[in-house]
Amino acid sequence: MKPTLFVLAAGMGSRYGGLKQLDGLGPNGETIMDYSIFDAIRGGFGKIVFVIRKTFEEDFRKKIISKYQNHIPVELVFQDLNDLPEGFKCPEERTKPWGTNHAVLMGKDVINEPFAVINADDFYGRDSFAVLGKWLSQLAEGSTNKYCMVGFRVGNTLSESGSVARGICSKDNNENLTTVVERTEIMRVDKAEVAKFDSEDAGEQHPVAYKDEQGKWVGIQANTPVSMNMWGFTPDYFKHSTAYFIEFLKANMSNIKAEYYIPLMVNKLITENTATVKVLDTTSKWFGVTYAADRQGVVDKIQALINAGEYPQKLF
C-alpha cells in the first residue's frame, strides 16, 4: 500500500494573514506546497491529506485542491480548538491552536496506512520525499511502533541572514533517534573562528556552531542531523497520541499557551522504549519563507532547481 502524505496547513491563515503564503513563488505561480505535492507523487505517495481550519475551506478547495485532483487523491480534515477528548472543554480565553500533534490527530479517521507528516510552508526537496517514501513503502504490513524522521544536514538548513533555531538530533549505533534538543541560535561560522570553540566537532569545510545554555558557542559538523518536522508514522501512532493528549490536557488545561507538539509525543515514546524512530539522511536543502524578506531568495532557489533539471517549468 502506498503511503499517505499528511500536510499540516491549519496554521496557514493565522501566521500569514489570510492565505498569503499561497503566493506564487514558481515561474507559473507555484507555491512551496505545490513542490511538496509534486515531490511526494514522484516519491511514491498515493494520497494527500490536508489538515486546515474550517474557516478557509472554500478558499482552500478552490485555490489548492483543484490543482491536484487529476494527479492524486486528496482529502481534507479540520483542526478545531473544541475538538477535544470526552470530558474536556476548551477554555473560553484560549485562541491558540493545541499544537502540531493535535493537528496530526485530526487524520485518525481517514488514514489507515503508513503516513508522512510535513509542514505546508517548508520546501523540503526531492530527495527527502524519495527517502521517506521508500522507507514507508518498505515497512512490513501491520508494522507498529516503527517510525522515522528525515534528518536534514544542519548545513543545508541555514540562513544567510543570521542565526536559526533547529532541533539538533542524536542517534544510536542503529541510526535510531535518541534525543532532539532545540537550539535557538545556530549559524555558519568562518573557518578561522573554529579555534575559539571547545568542541573538536566543528566541520573543517563548512563549520557550524550553536550557542549552548551557558552562552558558549559549540562547533558541530555541517552534516549533523536536525529535525525540520518531516516524520514517518504508522496508524498506531494515533492511539498513542490520543492517550497522551489526555495526560497533556490534565496537566496543561489552564495554560492557554501550552501546545501539544509532535516532538513531545515522539520523545515520550522513545524514552519509554515504546517505539523506535529511524533517522533518515537526505541530501535535500531545506528553505522557507518565514519573513517577507525571504521571498526573493526562495524564488531564486526554485528557479535554480528548475534550471538544473530538478523540476519542470510547470508542475501541474
Side-chain angles (χ1 to χ4, degrees):
M1 187 178 290
K2 288 185 175 183
T4 285
L5 181 67
F6 194 14
V7 183
L8 305 183
M12 292 173 82
S14 59
R15 281 202 301 271
Y16 294 86
L19 293 181
K20 287 182 182 176
Q21 71 274 45
L22 301 185
D23 179 23
L25 300 170
N28 290 283
E30 292 88 353
T31 67
I32 284 180
M33 200 155 55
D34 289 334
Y35 286 93
S36 290
I37 304 305
F38 185 83
D39 282 334
I41 291 170
R42 63 181 175 180
F45 288 82
K47 181 174 74 175
I48 310 295
V49 177
F50 293 99
V51 56
I52 67 170
R53 288 184 294 122
K54 185 73 174 175
T55 50
F56 59 77
E57 178 185 4
E58 183 180 352
D59 210 13
F60 197 86
R61 286 188 184 277
K62 185 169 60 178
K63 293 183 178 179
I64 297 296
I65 293 183
S66 60
K67 283 191 262 189
Y68 312 135
Q69 283 178 336
N70 296 324
H71 300 277
I72 190 169
V74 177
E75 293 198 50
L76 272 184
V77 294
F78 305 100
Q79 184 180 21
D80 187 277
L81 280 174
N82 297 303
D83 198 333
L84 299 176
E86 189 174 347
F88 293 91
K89 184 179 179 181
C90 183
E92 289 184 10
E93 64 273 24
R94 186 178 180 104
T95 58
K96 198 173 184 66
W98 289 105
T100 52
N101 213 51
H102 178 251
V104 169
L105 271 173
M106 301 304 101
K108 65 183 183 299
D109 294 329
V110 299
I111 299 175
N112 302 297
E113 57 283 319
F115 66 100
V117 177
I118 65 165
N119 294 332
D121 47 5
D122 288 327
F123 191 104
Y124 291 103
R126 177 179 184 173
D127 182 72
S128 64
F129 285 98
V131 166
L132 184 51
K134 181 179 179 181
W135 194 89
L136 291 171
S137 298
Q138 291 178 344
L139 282 173
E141 188 173 350
S143 286
T144 60
N145 299 322
K146 291 182 180 179
Y147 311 140
C148 68
M149 183 205 81
V150 177
F152 282 75
R153 301 171 188 179
V154 65
N156 287 338
T157 73
L158 301 178
S159 169
E160 302 306 318
S161 305
S163 64
V164 297
R166 297 284 181 260
I168 296 182
C169 303
S170 299
K171 318 179 277 186
D172 64 19
N173 293 332
N174 295 315
E175 299 295 309
N176 290 322
L177 185 68
T178 53
T179 60
V180 180
V181 179
E182 187 71 14
R183 297 296 181 183
T184 56
E185 289 187 66
I186 304 175
M187 62 190 300
R188 187 173 284 111
V189 294
D190 186 87
K191 187 176 178 180
E193 295 184 295
V194 176
K196 73 181 181 182
F197 302 134
D198 294 331
S199 169
E200 297 178 357
D201 294 330
E204 291 185 5
Q205 299 302 317
H206 301 286
V208 176
Y210 67 83
K211 188 178 283 188
D212 69 9
E213 294 84 353
Q214 285 74 45
K216 293 175 65 175
W217 286 96
V218 179
I220 56 174
Q221 296 272 358
N223 63 355
T224 299
V226 294
S227 170
M228 301 304 298
N229 214 36
M230 193 176 199
W231 304 90
F233 300 117
T234 45
D236 56 291
Y237 184 77
F238 294 122
K239 182 181 70 174
H240 295 309
S241 295
T242 299
Y244 190 37
F245 191 38
I246 292 171
E247 291 183 38
F248 172 87
L249 289 172
K250 287 177 180 176
N252 294 282
M253 185 56 84
S254 61
N255 180 357
I256 61 171
K257 292 187 177 181
E259 293 191 57
Y260 185 37
Y261 292 117
I262 294 170
L264 190 68
M265 180 75 256
V266 168
N267 187 59
K268 177 181 171 66
L269 294 173
I270 291 173
T271 55
E272 294 179 354
N273 294 317
T274 300
T276 58
V277 179
K278 189 73 70 177
V279 179
L280 309 178
D281 181 42
T282 181
T283 57
S284 285
K285 293 186 177 182
W286 171 96
F287 51 87
V289 181
T290 307
Y291 307 101
D294 298 331
R295 185 185 185 281
Q296 189 57 49
V298 171
V299 170
D300 294 342
K301 286 173 182 175
I302 289 174
Q303 188 59 54
L305 289 169
I306 293 168
N307 295 343
E310 282 282 310
Y311 297 97
Q313 188 77 6
K314 186 173 177 60
L315 292 183
F316 298 106

